[in-house]
Amino acid sequence: MPRKKINVPVLFPEGARATRPTRTRKVLTNFRTETGDPWEDGEVWLARVSLTRQARAQRKNGEKDWRRYYRWYEGEQWEDRGGLGGQVSSDNPRDTATVNKTGSIANSIVPFLINDEIKFLLEPEKPTMDEGRGVRIQQSLLNSEWRRQRVTEQMKKCALDEIIIGHCIAKTGYTVEVDESVKVEKNGVINYTDYIRQDAPWVERVNPLNFVFDLSAKDHTLHTARWCAEVFFVPYADVLSNKTYDRETLGQLRSGDSSVATKAAFEMLGVDPRAMKAMQTVTLPEDNLVALIEIWDKKYQKRMIYADGCPRPLLVEDWPYPYLRNF
């Protein structure tokens, strides 16, 4: 019988060498294994943040779109204004006045959502006179502390983010600062007003552009994410003078062994490269800001701070909230 000729695609064009054990081991070594030690996993974490930002930028309604929405809110509808270059979007764009309806609409919606100071209304579980009186006292204290910490102002900023880009980020915490120099009284009691310098909760708006989290989460939300990270910018001199940071890591930064990313370099993801020419002149310490990344790892229960570009952590702490399951 005549034999039928079948064309089989070549899966390994390099022949037998592609399946040699040596090549297999070489491929496997390219995959970094995570140890759970922040000192060993620095490159893994920096790569995670960088790749997550790149993936988020390519999404529909991603980081690049968010930056454009913020520019529209500020009234920067023309791409060739502000010294950024770009294409001319009109016949005579520089001589054209633009009515910024985008910003006007956003600013009018915020008072609709939050039109006054936010207040809490508490109700007792049991309608007894004593418990009702205690609940009213708690309600008064809660609203007073809310006003004193100016939390409504932060919530209005979050509402504006929600209107402009579709979501907002806020973080909460509790600050307790003590004065260890206060001496104990003879009876072994410390005066609270002398010992406690600050004792207050707080709520703070986080710039959504500087917040990233695990995109491989089960439902693609922060609720099931393994980790999240906030990027903040600090003058380089302040980083080197921070006594809470690791000395060896600071020494590595001083020696120049690690090229730390600046704020301008970090934000290059959404900025025209031609705009870098206007950012190269450094006249004040505040102009030389470096990008620090605060990472919260739920899996290994760690809080870490890295300088973007340096795989050694500046700070490593255990998870401070063991009673919380989520961020």
Side-chain angles (χ1 to χ4, degrees):
M1 296 179 59
R3 297 182 179 180
K4 185 178 181 180
K5 185 177 179 181
I6 301 177
N7 295 324
V8 180
V10 179
L11 298 179
F12 302 99
E14 298 185 10
R17 291 179 301 171
T19 59
R20 288 179 182 176
T22 55
R23 288 184 55 83
T24 304
R25 285 195 297 268
K26 183 177 180 180
V27 171
L28 292 177
T29 56
N30 291 333
F31 293 92
R32 288 292 306 272
T33 57
E34 190 174 4
T35 64
D37 184 359
W39 307 97
E40 299 291 337
D41 300 336
E43 294 181 354
V44 176
W45 281 113
L46 294 181
R48 273 197 182 120
V49 174
S50 177
L51 294 175
T52 300
R53 290 191 68 220
Q54 295 178 20
R56 187 177 71 174
Q58 301 303 324
R59 289 188 171 191
K60 184 179 181 180
N61 189 28
E63 183 174 337
K64 290 184 178 180
D65 294 325
W66 302 343
R67 293 183 182 275
R68 186 164 62 251
Y69 301 157
Y70 278 120
R71 291 198 299 270
W72 291 348
Y73 168 76
E74 295 292 341
E76 299 177 1
Q77 278 77 19
W78 304 107
E79 296 180 359
D80 67 329
R81 286 185 174 177
L84 296 180
Q87 291 183 342
V88 177
S89 302
S90 177
D91 294 335
N92 297 296
R94 299 184 184 279
D95 300 330
T96 303
T98 301
V99 178
N100 186 12
K101 289 188 176 182
T102 303
S104 177
I105 293 173
N107 290 332
S108 64
I109 296 178
V110 173
F112 175 77
L113 299 176
I114 306 176
N115 60 1
D116 197 0
E117 187 74 29
I118 296 175
K119 295 181 181 180
F120 292 88
L121 178 62
L122 306 184
E123 295 183 359
E125 294 183 356
K126 299 179 181 178
T128 61
M129 183 178 297
D130 293 338
E131 187 169 347
R133 187 183 300 109
V135 168
R136 287 194 298 272
I137 295 175
Q138 294 179 23
Q139 175 179 300
S140 178
L141 292 174
L142 180 59
N143 290 326
S144 175
E145 187 66 22
W146 184 275
R147 290 192 303 270
R148 192 166 69 90
Q149 300 300 328
R150 305 179 68 176
V151 181
T152 299
E153 180 180 337
Q154 296 295 322
M155 298 310 298
K156 288 183 178 179
K157 294 180 180 179
C158 291
L160 187 59
D161 288 331
E162 173 79 20
I163 295 168
I164 296 175
I165 67 173
H167 74 281
C168 59
I169 305 293
K171 64 179 179 180
T172 61
Y174 202 98
T175 300
V176 178
E177 295 182 1
V178 298
D179 188 355
E180 297 181 354
S181 63
V182 176
K183 296 182 180 180
V184 181
E185 298 179 1
K186 294 182 179 180
N187 57 0
V189 178
I190 298 178
N191 190 347
Y192 176 86
T193 57
D194 295 335
Y195 183 68
I196 303 297
R197 291 182 175 179
Q198 185 178 2
D199 180 19
W202 51 266
V203 177
E204 180 179 321
R205 175 255 183 188
V206 177
N207 188 342
L209 299 174
N210 300 332
F211 182 84
V212 294
F213 65 90
D214 183 14
L215 295 181
S216 63
K218 184 178 181 181
D219 59 353
H220 306 291
T221 66
L222 190 61
H223 181 71
T224 57
R226 172 201 158 177
W227 62 271
C228 69
E230 178 188 356
V231 181
F232 57 102
F233 307 99
V234 182
Y236 187 58
D238 292 351
V239 175
L240 298 180
S241 61
N242 194 321
K243 297 181 180 180
T244 62
Y245 289 163
D246 182 75
R247 293 183 178 180
E248 294 186 11
T249 305
L250 293 178
Q252 185 172 343
L253 296 180
R254 289 191 183 95
S255 63
D257 293 339
S258 297
S259 56
V260 182
T262 62
K263 180 181 179 180
F266 183 85
E267 294 179 345
M268 279 297 295
L269 180 64
V271 179
D272 192 324
R274 285 166 288 190
M276 285 299 294
K277 295 181 179 180
M279 302 177 183
Q280 294 176 352
T281 304
V282 177
T283 58
L284 297 173
E286 291 77 9
D287 295 332
N288 190 17
L289 299 178
V290 296
L292 301 184
I293 307 173
E294 181 185 31
I295 301 173
W296 297 79
D297 181 19
K298 192 188 303 182
K299 180 178 181 179
Y300 291 106
Q301 300 287 290
K302 295 292 184 181
R303 170 182 173 263
M304 303 157 284
I305 296 180
Y306 290 91
D308 191 18
C310 178
R312 283 183 58 90
L314 288 166
L315 181 68
V316 177
E317 292 181 349
D318 292 331
W319 191 272
Y321 308 113
Y323 50 87
L324 295 180
R325 292 186 177 181
N326 296 307
F327 298 112

